Amino acid sequence: MDAKMVTFGETAMDKLLQWLRSSGEPKDIDELLRQYLELLSKLVMEESQ
Amino acid sequence: MTVAPTTDVVDQSALAEAIHRLMRAQGVLFALDAPIRQSLPNLAAFFAVRYKLDPVAMSEVIEAALDADERFIREVLADEVRFVTSRQGGYVPRNEPDTHSFKQRLQDPDHPLPIDDISVVVSTSRPAITTVEPVFISDYWQVQAGLVSVRAEEDALAHELTTLSEPPVVVLVDVPLVVAPTPPLEAPVEAVPMVPTQVAPPVSFTPVHEPVVAPIPLAPPAEVVVPLVVQAAPEPPAPVVVPLPEPVVVTPPPRPMRPQVERGTIFTLADGTPIDLRRPMKELLAEHGATLAQALADKLEHDPLRRIVSFGRRYFPEANVINLGKNDLRKIRDYLLERGGPLLDTELIADVFYHNPRQSDYEGVRFSLNYRLHREKDFEFVGVEGALLWSTKGMPAIGGKRVKAAEMGQITSYLVEGLDDSLQNQSVETIREQGSVTRLLTFFEWEYGVLPLDATLTALLPGPVLPDQRSAVLRFDSPQHYTQALVEVRYPTGNRGGWLQGLEEFFHAHLIPGALITIARGQEPHSFTISYEEASETDDRILTFDEKKNKFAFANIAYFAAVDTDQLPSQSRFGRLNRLKAFPMGERRKAELILEHVIETMGEQVGTRAAPSYTLSFDDLFVGYNTLRPGSRALLQSLLTHGAEFAFDAAISEMVFYTPAPGSKAPAEDEATTEEPTEEPVTEVQPTRRRYGGRYSDDDE
């Protein structure tokens, strides 16, 4: 996916939710942000490659 | 040597009867008319032993016997002879169709229901187990969601566009080769440039290989080129098929290579901040972590589906949050009231729900408890980060009711109006590094047990966890007296300042105004220590406030703390302090009114009776002002600067001059002189004992 199409806070939120549910415990906002950025980065970089 | 019996010695009818009995026994559980099959080799092997015959000979005997018996049907299947019979005798295949089957009854019921209402055949109720119905998603949205590769999509699109842009092609219709003895054609159907043909030797049918067809550009509308079927010369009777000319393979011009699209890895936030996802995560978070976290929190907060909910800094899927019933809430409330003070969420989980931290879902339960209680109006969150405390309605108020929150918020509003000068002597970094704040105690703070939440205390104390949190409860331990007090921090809201309350008892028991106190962080996030510098016993006449008579008075007090004598409201230093009028709290919100009253009361009259004028040193004014209400030096300077009736220039003199406007009001000197003889005699009862002996009622407010 082209990063220009990324809307922060909307794109890949389902994946973030899936990760949060699978973790089974509440997460701090910093940890949540890190995971979200990794998801976005993976989404963009994989498509780019 | 025994001679084997021949077939003649075997009674065929007896043998057939024996075989029939045997096969009935085989199919004893079969239906009466169900076929019972048995192969000839099996029968021969079985009866060869009984009749002491060779199996081959026995086969012949059995075959002869059963062929003669009408109860058996002979059939051959895969070179194997089988005999079929049934329990009722001869096997008769069933011919009537079986209509009484479940399938038949289900699909063709005898009395079908009318289909006037669709609900007769389609249930409108929701299935117990929801099934994911396949939903058609357009390619565009699949690309958006990353389900389909953009490249594959673009390839397909490019191919489609190329096909559309290419010229029309000639369609070669492959006509079956039919050789008929017809007269030679005079001319081909269409004038097509022909390659000189070469007559092939006469053959009847020549297989025509299907040519490789390539698109041939043709400007006019597509023509149909009929493959030539040429008959050979009439001489030979056999027709001659001329093979098709070699088709012209036109190679289309090579499609221009699609440029390699360089995917962007930079997206922008709503405020235009570019975020490059190629950068290392650590670097990205260090630079934009706070902005991104805030943006993500805002997005989650405004998500219409509320898929991820938060409590403070922690986030959890809404679907995983456990519900608390009314009974659970009642038990929590009862337990809080029973304990008589705010409790940690961990205590509630352990004592009310008996949930163990070792359980795997403990953190989820903890989040659920906090999240649900926060949404209940009967509970109030009074915790800080790391110590999530809960309070409920009906619990005893911390700090009493002598000061109303609305009035105190207005009195301390100068803190949020830029008139907070508490950081002049110590920086925020120093406070956070050392974890302590040292400050002088004013009379108002000592009397009411209230500390304004200025910048120094804000730097030291934890902030609110929730955006709408109005207060937090902290525990102040006194290492010098092994006592502790619950202190409520009221956070500033809007144009109202914040303050701490609940230290009244400690102040009156151990301190006096002018004492230097130190507040330091404790072991836990919500625990702090309060201490002061001890000194030898000192007796002095210190200002006190008799709330019953609503008057200030000097009283003999023995204290054991080091004090700043310039701030100590002693009778010897500030003899006129007791003349101050104890305004109601609602009046004390008016900063200018208090300032004028303090100068008029404590200042020297330097004018005439007709045109009074007062002068007072700035330091004394500060002490007198902080007797009636808290106020910083910056607030006083601002009031003096902006007040037309005041004259004060710190660079020239520390004296403040006040000249009331003519006819504003009677000079306070008269009041003071009339009040002076009525000064209350010094009482020997200590203020602390008086106060907690029940002299104050809840009607003070």
Side-chain angles (χ1 to χ4, degrees), chain B residues 14 73 82 105 121 165 241 305 344 357 387-388 486 677:
Chain B
I73 298 174
R82 291 181 177 182
R105 282 181 286 129
V121 288
S165 62
V241 177
L305 299 177
L344 289 167
L388 307 181
L486 287 181

Side-chain angles (χ1 to χ4, degrees), chain A residues 1 3 5 10 27 29-30, chain B residues 144 264 267 299-300 313 315:
Chain A
M1 174 182 275
M5 302 173 74
E10 295 178 10
K27 296 292 182 187
I29 182 67
D30 294 334
Chain B
Q144 297 293 314
F267 71 91
K299 284 287 185 182
L300 292 174
R313 292 180 59 84
Y315 287 78

Side-chain angles (χ1 to χ4, degrees), chain A, chain B residues 143-146 148-151 262-269 275 277-278 281-282 284-285 288-290 292-293 295-297 299-300 307-308 313-320 360-361 363-364 367 385:
Chain A
M1 174 182 275
D2 195 329
K4 290 175 183 172
M5 302 173 74
V6 169
T7 304
F8 190 76
E10 295 178 10
T11 306
M13 285 304 284
D14 51 345
K15 290 187 174 67
L16 184 67
L17 177 65
Q18 191 178 358
W19 170 80
L20 194 57
R21 294 188 73 163
S22 61
S23 69
E25 61 179 17
K27 296 292 182 187
D28 189 83
I29 182 67
D30 294 334
E31 198 173 350
L32 198 71
L33 174 65
R34 175 182 292 274
Q35 180 65 26
Y36 184 53
L37 287 177
E38 284 178 359
L39 284 173
L40 288 182
S41 178
K42 191 176 175 185
L43 198 66
V44 170
M45 301 306 286
E46 275 185 356
E47 291 284 339
S48 180
Q49 289 168 3
Chain B
V143 172
Q144 297 293 314
V148 173
S149 168
V150 180
R151 183 158 193 152
E262 187 66 26
R263 303 284 180 192
T265 57
I266 301 175
F267 71 91
T268 54
L269 296 177
I275 305 295
L277 291 171
R278 279 182 303 189
M281 195 63 61
K282 194 173 180 181
L284 204 59
L285 288 173
H288 302 288
L292 289 170
L296 182 60
K299 284 287 185 182
L300 292 174
R307 291 171 292 182
I308 299 176
R313 292 180 59 84
R314 296 173 78 77
Y315 287 78
F316 202 47
E318 207 277 339
N320 291 18
S360 61
D361 62 339
E363 286 300 324
F367 179 91
E385 194 66 49

